[in-house]
Amino acid sequence: MGTLRTAAAGAVARKQVSRTGSTAPAPRNPPRSEVLALDEIIVGDCIEALRRLPSESVDLVFADPPYNLQLEGALSRPDQSLVDAVDDDWDKFASFAAYDAFTRDWLAEARRVMKPNATLWVIGSYHNIFRVGATLQDLGFWILNDIVWRKANPMPNFRGRRFTNAHETLIWASKGQEAKRYTFHYEALKGGNDDLQMRSDWLFPLCTGEERIKDESGRKAHPTQKPEALLARIMLSASHPGDVVLDPFFGSGTTGAVARRLGRHFVGIERDEAYAGFARRRIAAVEPLPEDAVATAPAKRAEPRIPFLSIVEAGYVQPGEVLTCSAGRHRATIRADGTLHAPPAIGSIHKIGALLQGLPACNGWTFWHAERDGSRIPIDAFRTEIRARGGA
């Protein structure tokens, strides 16, 4: 993969801040790239690398930071075989204070490089996600949702002293409370979910089988590789094709592989050259999907506004015609000015629909129906036809 835009430096050396939480004073004006290197992996310390990225340059951040698991010795199964748990140095911190300082540093830099309407997703377990959430709020992020990833095949609790830990938590946050125009493909998610609103509990299996990246000896290359389906749902819900997705803890490259397949760009930061090597080979083997398979579905909010008066003026309905609800219980007469009359009230299709039902609000486009050839047709069908004709 080539760099789509050039950057001043390739790999970023590890200094200033280590993944163990020990810090050194940062330069007051650290050198930053004027442009962003796309579809590349920066090898080096995540905080130092983030400091070098240009401000307001990424559309989405996905972060899978160290969980600070605080493991006490080796874990074993009932048959005394050892569990291949996360015991790498990058997950070890001297104290909660050290972990909090590390979290604040990388989150502050992530917020700086986010565009005004970008959003951030961070995943964690009960060991760290609550501390991360508090720091997010302290830094000015605005939490939009917490998502529960329910694992279809969780590792059992071998000691039988606690509940089986069968989920992880994701926090989805905007850059601040004032960021109202963040990306969220509500209709697309609903359409792919059998026309039901997408819920905040997602069921995916752990990464296993052919998707699990292995080293030369056949062992898993990275202990916390996330399933591609999880990253795909995040990108499909909160980004557009062509957007830039930043992952400051790139690992084995799941974010990059999914971004390439879905027509997004990525910027990855990874301190371990071995992990970066696995990620490069993995991403290079990905075949991008055709453009029409990843194109963003049009959102209703983005469609041109068509007032009900336009439906009357175009002749789809006539002044004096009676509209009814789908069951025929409520009736109102169309007036020449595009309002409805349900004696004694006169008002919009929404106001009259709400009034007749005794509700505070009503979507008149789907509530009101016109009689055509012995069938009731929602007036929204006429609006759809006008839009298909370009609004004429």
Side-chain angles (χ1 to χ4, degrees):
M1 295 168 292
T3 303
L4 301 186
R5 279 177 278 177
T6 58
V12 180
R14 287 188 63 211
K15 52 186 178 180
Q16 303 296 335
V17 180
S18 74
R19 292 283 290 273
T20 58
S22 59
T23 61
R28 292 184 179 180
N29 297 295
R32 291 173 183 156
S33 300
E34 295 182 359
V35 293
L36 195 63
L38 300 183
D39 304 325
E40 295 287 346
I41 304 172
I42 302 170
V43 178
D45 178 83
C46 67
I47 298 171
E48 178 63 21
L50 283 168
R51 285 182 176 140
R52 295 177 181 270
L53 298 182
S55 299
E56 298 188 355
S57 58
V58 304
D59 302 284
L60 181 69
V61 179
F62 172 77
D64 185 8
Y67 286 8
N68 193 25
L69 294 178
Q70 311 135 51
L71 295 179
E72 299 176 358
L75 294 178
S76 60
R77 300 180 177 87
D79 63 3
Q80 300 307 307
S81 61
L82 293 179
V83 176
D84 189 8
V86 180
D87 56 3
D88 304 74
D89 287 341
W90 50 257
D91 194 62
K92 297 175 182 177
F93 291 80
S95 64
F96 285 129
Y99 186 80
D100 292 345
F102 166 76
T103 300
R104 177 175 290 274
D105 285 348
W106 76 259
L107 278 174
E109 288 302 317
R111 188 170 186 269
R112 179 186 62 79
V113 303
M114 291 167 62
K115 293 178 182 178
N117 292 307
T119 56
L120 173 142
W121 296 73
V122 58
I123 188 169
S125 70
Y126 67 88
H127 302 87
N128 72 321
I129 196 64
F130 304 108
R131 309 187 77 86
V132 171
T135 303
L136 276 168
Q137 292 178 315
D138 289 345
L139 290 173
F141 285 91
W142 188 253
I143 295 178
L144 302 170
N145 273 115
D146 65 326
I147 306 292
V148 174
W149 167 29
R150 293 173 52 219
K151 301 175 183 178
N153 53 343
M155 181 182 296
N157 184 267
F158 295 112
R159 294 175 179 172
R161 300 287 293 172
R162 302 183 185 182
F163 295 105
T164 298
N165 187 19
H167 78 278
E168 292 185 29
T169 301
L170 297 104
I171 295 175
W172 181 37
S174 63
K175 196 170 181 178
Q177 185 177 5
E178 70 286 351
K180 304 295 186 182
R181 300 180 64 84
Y182 56 85
T183 298
F184 179 52
H185 299 299
Y186 169 82
E187 288 90 354
L189 290 169
K190 185 177 179 181
N193 194 41
D194 296 334
D195 288 326
L196 298 173
Q197 288 187 347
M198 183 64 70
R199 291 161 49 111
S200 62
D201 53 337
W202 299 354
L203 180 65
F204 294 110
L206 289 167
C207 187
T208 58
E210 293 184 1
E211 186 180 329
R212 171 66 75 171
I213 305 301
K214 305 289 181 61
D215 61 18
E216 295 77 7
S217 64
R219 296 186 60 186
K220 57 187 181 183
H222 194 285
T224 62
Q225 181 181 336
K226 296 299 183 288
E228 292 188 5
L230 180 69
L231 269 295
R233 185 172 293 181
I234 288 171
M235 291 186 204
L236 290 171
S237 65
S239 71
H240 300 280
D243 278 357
V244 178
V245 183
L246 168 67
D247 185 339
F249 308 98
F250 205 61
S252 59
T254 302
T255 298
V258 174
R260 179 172 168 82
R261 190 172 76 249
L262 297 181
R264 276 73 169 164
H265 297 295
F266 71 86
V267 175
I269 302 173
E270 174 52 49
R271 63 168 284 184
D272 191 304
E273 179 59 61
Y275 291 157
F278 285 118
R280 290 191 192 98
R281 292 189 291 274
R282 175 185 184 184
I283 295 167
V286 172
E287 186 69 27
L289 291 171
E291 288 186 12
D292 60 349
V294 298
T296 301
K300 288 186 176 180
R301 292 181 180 179
E303 293 177 334
R305 180 180 177 274
I306 306 293
F308 182 63
L309 178 59
S310 295
I311 308 299
V312 178
E313 293 171 339
Y316 287 94
V317 295
Q318 300 296 324
E321 182 177 350
V322 174
L323 300 180
T324 67
C325 64
S326 59
R329 291 193 297 269
H330 301 294
R331 299 164 59 87
T333 302
I334 301 172
R335 288 164 40 90
D337 59 5
T339 59
L340 298 185
H341 182 206
I346 295 175
S348 70
I349 58 174
H350 313 295
K351 180 178 179 179
I352 297 301
L355 183 65
L356 291 177
Q357 297 176 89
L359 298 175
C362 168
N363 183 348
W365 290 107
T366 56
F367 178 75
W368 293 112
H369 291 63
E371 186 86 14
R372 296 292 184 272
D373 299 324
S375 300
R376 292 190 179 101
I377 299 174
I379 60 174
D380 197 32
F382 306 137
R383 181 173 64 162
T384 299
E385 189 170 335
I386 285 183
R387 283 173 172 161
R389 290 167 44 193

